[in-house]
Amino acid sequence: MNPQDLLSIHLLADLDPACLADLAPLFEERRYCAGEVILRQGEPTEALYFILAGGARVVLTDGEGLRHTLARLGPGEMFGERALLTGETRTADVAATAPLRAAVLPRRHFEEILPRFPELYARLCRHLAAQLGNWAVRHQRDEREHRETLASLVGWQLLPEFESFPGTSPWARELNRRIEGLAGGESHVLILGERGTWKDLVARLLHFHHPDPGRPVLFLDCAAPPPVLRESARPSREGQDSVLLEMAQESALFGHETDEGLYARGTRRGMVELADGGDLILRNVDSLAPRAQTLLSEFLSRGSYRRRGEKERRAARVRILATSSEPLDRMAAGGDFDPELFARLSAEPLELAPLRERKKDIPAIARRLLRSLARKHHKPARRLSPEALNLLLDHDWPLNGSELQQVLSRAVVVCDGPMLTAEQIFLQPPHLSGGRFNLLALPAVERAVRRPYFPGLLRRVTVPLFLVVILYTLFGPREENVANLAVWTLWWPALLLAAAFTSRFWCSVCPLEAIGDWAGLSRRRSADPPGWLRRFGPPLSMGGLIVILLSEQATGMFSWARTTGLFLAGLLLATVAADLLLGRRAWCKHLCPLGRIVSLVSRISILEMRSNPNVCASRCHTDDCIKEKACPMGLHPTGINSSDHCVLCFSCVRHCPHHSMHLDLRLPAQGILSRPRRRFSEALFAVALTGTVLAAKGGPALAGRPAEVFPTTLWSGPELSAALLLLAAYVGAALACSVGGRSRRTLATFTISGLAYLPLAFAALFATYLRAFAEGGERLLPLLAEALGLGRWIDTALLTPELGTLRLLVPLTIFAGTAFSWILLGRLNRQYALDRLGLAGHRLLFLLTGAAFAVLL
């Protein structure tokens, strides 16, 4: 044989010419015609074959006689090496695909040259190792394809286990009657309805209510058919994607022959063939490509079809149960859907009503779901509280039954008792747009919040500072105490500003909870809180906040360090005791007065953590974000009704595999306007907070005491009585403004309009501490130098800044808060059409309150 021919063989390339000259006589040249079988499956191999020109393919014939192409070979490649080395029989045929010229090395010569040419032996080993690697990659790709195909076949079964369509309304009863009537027939059924209305469940019931439940049933999502493309990199252009989708749909429905289609390998039996004599469920039939629509219509009219690449027609009898979220009648009229196919499918149409139009069915659906979900998650939940059921009834359910199922699944995961409560119902927001910007879209922000030590690392700063403040206020100077001054001129205003700009982020680095955690007293997960804590926790925390705000002025905390130290130590002891007795974060979530005011202010914060409800509904089926890597507050980020409890620990961002989380910059009013359900207690808290700040400064003024920024004497009985009377009068005035000539709607009107007082309350409270900072902040650095023993070396006069001009910000802050409340009330009026007289009364009260604060502060 000519040594030059051997240079084209990959295994022999770059060998020394002398070696090639020695090898050439050992090879034989053979020629084969196109289609000729060179090596047969099941026979031994006695030679090694190298392709010099032409091509071949390796074909496996399975037990059913179907032929599968395993590989295609071209010039320079070899075959027969594995059977030759192992001595086993061939596992596949090798046939020429074109006139083929080969160099053949017989077994005796092959065994002779391996010891003589070690380099050739090493090359053969590398070739076999590369083949094994390619097989592993191909096996993984095939396994992924098979998983996708299997998921497509059985994915429709991942639905609630209902023996009938759930509901007690007349519509639900009529639907079940029609399902029973259609189940026994052979007519094709078209099931229409919005996304999430459980169209697949109806299709399943139509199959299983058939007199012969053992007949085959297959499922195909026309929008995501099993792939036919085996290459790892798919074309990305839209035109190519549409061609691939069309090919995948045709192959899934009718199958294809070996090597038919640009990207298909092997033979595939279509679902029409596999479902012969049974039912084929086609989800999203509106997503079928035009060619697939035509072929399906032709099959329904003739009862036969062709595999792609096959000339003979095959007969099949299949009932089509098609679902669509789009109006197919309009699509057919507009030319976007085959009119003939629509006519054949819509002989027996079923249209499912959205959940918002049949809310009478929600309790029945929820109870049936609750039983199955409790078994699935091994939880004792058996019933819903009236408040939880009211939340479900008030929601509009844009994603219908699928959303309801996810909401209840998350509630069951976090519930450890026999009853689901309103706190465990995490409802999705109506939309995510409208004046929002996702900060996680900025790479630097996302990298920062995904670091595991953020924000926990900040506790290493807040905890030591907090302990130092407690110790120094208790054991340091009683007056002119730098720690005491820092609490009232720095910590409180910083806490309020943090709530306004970062929602409840302060709570994730709060030293109170951190000390409880590090002490090992609250490491256990929180169990279901007792009923009294859910009912009385919010009013207790609000009552504690009112007491604290009044006590600050009544006991002279601004001036007396011991009182402040006892107050902070009491908060720490209460936190540790509550966490020890009631579970982790029980104090933070239900009882903490500071957490209550931060939670209220977070309603008007410009920052909010939220997940994308569409991603959670379509891609998440495990609820691991609250089941295995639980939120410390026991929340789910889709819950608009509980978003003000989110402490921005970013655990959900780090653990969500679908990157569903949004850290949104939003308009401040959205936190109030977008809430689907409002509580009277929340409105009362906002009004009472405004009245408390007014009473703290106005009570002594009514009793004749001059206004003091840093009071030094205890309140007298008349001063305390005047403050409490002023608080009660203010709340009564706000309630009276809500009457507006319709006394029976007073509570409802107050519930809506009461939260409009929140910006005014925040502005007044912040202005109180801003005035204290303007009056006393200049003493902070000198007192700090004295506390550190640096007074003898540093002239403290140089450390005294002039902060008097900050007083000008106090009336501006009050004006801004009053204007914000005025505008917010107007937005609420446009949303809920409040009574005109009540609207005028609240606005008048805003003006009077703002003027009073401007005078007192």
Side-chain angles (χ1 to χ4, degrees):
M1 187 164 188
N2 189 346
Q4 295 300 318
D5 290 335
L6 300 183
L7 289 174
S8 64
I9 299 174
H10 300 329
L11 186 66
L12 306 179
D14 301 327
L15 278 181
D16 184 81
C19 294
L20 290 177
D22 291 341
L23 290 174
L26 304 178
F27 285 85
E28 303 174 5
E29 181 176 342
R30 298 181 188 177
R31 296 179 182 272
Y32 301 92
C33 300
E36 183 177 354
V37 178
I38 304 171
L39 296 176
R40 293 190 179 276
Q41 183 175 338
E43 296 181 354
T45 299
E46 296 298 332
L48 184 60
Y49 294 79
F50 297 91
I51 300 177
L52 300 176
R57 67 176 179 176
V58 183
V59 181
L60 170 68
T61 304
D62 62 20
E64 298 182 358
L66 298 176
R67 296 171 61 81
H68 306 276
T69 298
L70 301 182
R72 291 180 177 274
L73 305 174
E77 296 185 282
M78 64 180 176
F79 56 89
E81 69 277 9
R82 291 189 302 278
L84 189 66
L85 288 170
T86 62
E88 298 177 352
T89 58
R90 294 281 311 166
T91 57
D93 294 338
V94 179
T97 56
L100 184 142
R101 187 166 68 96
V104 181
L105 181 65
R107 177 190 290 273
R108 66 181 185 279
H109 295 320
F110 175 72
E111 294 174 349
E112 176 187 339
I113 67 174
L114 284 183
R116 291 172 50 194
F117 299 97
E119 184 180 354
L120 185 62
Y121 181 77
R123 289 188 179 191
L124 183 61
C125 290
R126 287 195 296 270
H127 169 76
L128 293 174
Q131 273 193 339
L132 288 173
N134 292 335
W135 290 341
V137 172
R138 186 169 60 191
H139 174 72
Q140 291 176 354
R141 186 169 61 238
D142 290 346
E143 184 180 8
R144 184 171 61 250
E145 279 188 23
H146 296 157
R147 283 199 304 267
E148 293 178 6
T149 302
L150 184 62
S152 178
L153 290 173
V154 302
W156 67 285
Q157 297 184 15
L158 301 176
L159 288 166
E161 293 290 338
F162 294 148
E163 68 281 358
S164 62
F165 198 89
T168 57
S169 66
W171 177 88
R173 292 196 296 269
E174 174 62 20
L175 176 64
N176 282 312
R177 186 191 65 78
R178 287 205 64 195
I179 289 174
E180 292 180 3
L182 293 173
E186 296 298 329
S187 300
H188 309 300
V189 181
L190 178 61
I191 308 166
L192 301 171
E194 294 181 4
R195 179 185 174 191
T197 49
W198 287 349
K199 300 182 288 295
D200 292 343
L201 174 61
V202 173
R204 179 183 180 182
L205 294 173
L206 285 169
H207 169 75
F208 283 104
H209 284 180
H210 192 276
D212 180 15
R215 58 198 243 131
V217 56
L218 290 176
F219 170 89
L220 173 64
D221 187 348
C222 300
V228 294
L229 178 64
R230 295 198 176 218
E231 281 72 12
S232 58
R234 299 191 178 210
S236 58
R237 288 179 293 181
E238 182 177 354
Q240 291 175 320
D241 286 344
S242 63
V243 171
L244 289 178
L245 178 62
E246 177 185 298
M247 290 177 57
Q249 290 172 345
E250 181 181 350
S251 175
L253 285 171
F254 304 110
H256 59 250
E257 279 301 299
T258 303
D259 297 329
E260 280 303 321
L262 182 59
Y263 302 100
R265 295 178 182 174
T267 300
R268 173 181 286 180
R269 300 172 65 186
M271 292 189 180
V272 167
E273 180 180 352
L274 296 172
D276 186 19
D279 296 328
L280 175 57
I281 300 174
L282 297 181
R283 177 196 282 173
N284 299 319
V285 71
D286 53 280
S287 298
L288 281 177
R291 175 175 169 79
Q293 295 178 29
T294 302
L295 293 175
L296 182 59
S297 179
E298 180 182 346
F299 164 69
L300 296 181
S301 64
R302 301 180 61 173
S304 63
Y305 66 96
R306 286 193 187 98
R307 286 182 184 171
R308 186 182 181 93
E310 193 176 52
K311 295 181 179 179
E312 296 181 0
R313 301 189 69 86
R314 297 170 179 262
R317 182 177 55 84
V318 176
R319 179 173 67 165
I320 302 295
L321 307 176
T323 74
S324 174
S325 300
E326 301 294 331
L328 287 188
D329 52 348
R330 291 205 291 266
M331 292 181 64
D336 296 325
F337 196 81
D338 189 307
E340 184 177 350
L341 178 59
F342 172 69
R344 294 185 182 280
L345 293 178
S346 60
E348 295 289 353
L350 288 176
E351 188 160 358
L352 305 188
L355 202 55
R356 63 182 175 274
E357 296 179 4
R358 48 186 182 92
K359 291 195 173 183
K360 185 178 180 181
D361 290 334
I362 290 178
I365 297 174
R367 294 186 184 101
R368 293 178 69 173
L369 278 172
L370 186 57
R371 289 195 295 270
S372 63
L373 292 171
R375 289 194 300 269
K376 172 185 174 183
H377 296 298
H378 306 288
K379 289 298 184 96
R382 295 293 180 269
R383 63 185 186 277
L384 292 97
S385 70
E387 295 80 9
L389 190 57
N390 287 340
L391 276 178
L392 300 181
L393 291 170
D394 285 348
H395 193 51
D396 281 340
W397 303 108
L399 301 179
N400 296 293
S402 299
E403 182 182 357
L404 176 59
Q405 183 186 5
Q406 277 206 335
V407 167
L408 288 175
S409 177
R410 291 163 184 153
V412 169
V413 168
V414 300
C415 178
D416 291 320
M419 183 171 65
L420 294 185
T421 65
E423 288 185 339
Q424 294 153 346
I425 302 295
F426 307 125
L427 296 177
Q428 296 173 348
H431 56 79
L432 286 173
S433 59
R436 291 178 178 266
F437 175 73
N438 181 17
L439 290 176
L440 294 181
L442 302 175
V445 176
E446 185 178 25
R447 284 195 301 270
V449 301
R450 285 188 176 276
R451 291 174 179 169
Y453 51 80
F454 181 83
L457 188 64
L458 296 178
R459 289 183 168 190
R460 299 183 182 181
V461 178
T462 60
V463 170
L465 284 177
F466 183 73
L467 294 177
V468 167
V469 166
I470 290 180
L471 293 175
Y472 198 72
T473 51
L474 288 176
F475 303 106
R478 299 183 62 181
E479 301 179 55
E480 296 298 316
N481 186 301
V482 64
N484 187 58
L485 188 61
V487 167
W488 303 112
T489 61
L490 292 180
W491 181 33
W492 260 104
L495 184 68
L496 293 172
L497 280 180
F501 287 96
T502 64
S503 191
R504 290 193 67 173
F505 178 73
W506 164 257
C507 296
S508 66
V509 298
C510 175
L512 297 174
E513 280 291 341
I515 291 172
D517 284 343
W518 290 349
L521 299 175
S522 58
R523 287 178 183 168
R524 65 186 181 92
R525 280 195 61 185
S526 174
D528 246 10
W532 69 266
L533 186 60
R534 291 195 303 267
R535 290 193 300 271
F536 302 117
L540 284 175
S541 63
M542 193 62 206
L545 178 60
I546 292 173
V547 170
I548 289 173
L549 293 178
L550 293 178
S551 299
E552 291 172 3
Q553 303 294 322
T555 61
M557 287 188 192
F558 280 52
S559 301
W560 302 107
R562 297 284 192 279
T563 310
T564 300
L566 292 173
F567 161 62
L568 296 178
L571 281 179
L572 178 58
L573 291 176
T575 302
V576 174
D579 285 358
L580 176 63
L581 298 174
L582 302 174
R584 186 168 183 257
R585 294 274 179 179
W587 172 264
C588 179
K589 190 172 181 180
H590 297 284
L591 295 171
C592 179
L594 302 185
R596 179 61 51 188
I597 192 170
V598 171
S599 177
L600 281 173
V601 175
S602 69
R603 299 284 181 86
I604 56 174
S605 173
I606 64 172
L607 199 65
E608 180 183 46
M609 180 67 74
R610 176 79 70 208
S611 69
N612 187 326
N614 295 318
V615 174
C616 291
S618 61
R619 301 189 62 190
C620 183
H621 302 290
T622 61
D623 297 322
D624 284 346
C625 49
I626 55 175
K627 183 164 54 177
E628 296 180 2
K629 298 163 178 139
C631 167
M633 299 296 282
L635 307 175
H636 189 273
T638 54
I640 187 174
N641 55 313
S642 55
S643 61
D644 51 339
H645 290 305
C646 172
V647 297
L648 290 182
C649 65
F650 301 108
S651 175
C652 52
V653 177
R654 289 188 287 269
H655 293 136
C656 178
H658 308 298
H659 294 264
S660 171
M661 299 309 303
H662 285 229
L663 182 62
D664 284 343
L665 280 177
R666 65 176 186 182
L667 298 175
Q670 284 185 339
I672 294 176
L673 297 174
S674 62
R675 294 184 70 83
R677 182 177 175 84
R678 307 172 191 281
R679 293 186 176 91
F680 175 80
S681 58
E682 295 172 345
L684 182 62
F685 291 168
V687 174
L689 180 61
T690 313
T692 301
V693 181
L694 184 64
K697 289 298 184 181
L702 290 177
R705 176 190 289 194
E708 294 179 283
V709 177
F710 292 92
T712 56
T713 57
L714 293 175
W715 279 4
S716 63
E719 290 172 337
L720 179 60
S721 300
L724 295 177
L725 182 62
L726 182 57
L727 171 60
Y730 191 84
V731 174
L735 280 169
C737 291
S738 300
V739 175
R742 303 181 189 179
S743 57
R744 61 187 178 88
R745 293 190 57 197
T746 299
L747 295 183
T749 304
F750 181 79
T751 300
I752 295 171
S753 59
L755 282 177
Y757 285 77
L758 192 54
L760 180 56
F762 166 78
L765 191 59
F766 178 74
T768 300
Y769 302 110
L770 179 62
R771 176 67 185 275
F773 179 70
E775 295 287 343
E778 58 189 19
R779 304 200 308 273
L780 280 171
L781 291 179
L783 289 176
L784 179 61
E786 292 291 342
L788 296 176
L790 302 176
R792 68 183 70 178
W793 295 292
I794 299 176
D795 183 4
T796 56
L798 300 176
L799 301 177
T800 306
E802 177 58 48
L803 301 177
T805 54
L806 291 178
R807 297 190 193 95
L808 297 176
L809 296 179
V810 173
L812 293 178
T813 302
I814 297 298
F815 173 78
T818 305
F820 190 177
S821 290
W822 184 288
I823 295 171
L824 181 57
L825 185 62
R827 296 281 299 275
L828 288 169
N829 177 48
R830 289 196 295 272
Q831 193 171 349
Y832 295 99
L834 302 175
D835 184 83
R836 291 184 179 180
L837 185 59
L839 186 67
H842 284 297
R843 283 178 168 168
L844 178 60
L845 192 56
F846 289 163
L847 295 176
L848 294 176
T849 306
F853 281 137
V855 172
L856 295 172
L857 298 177

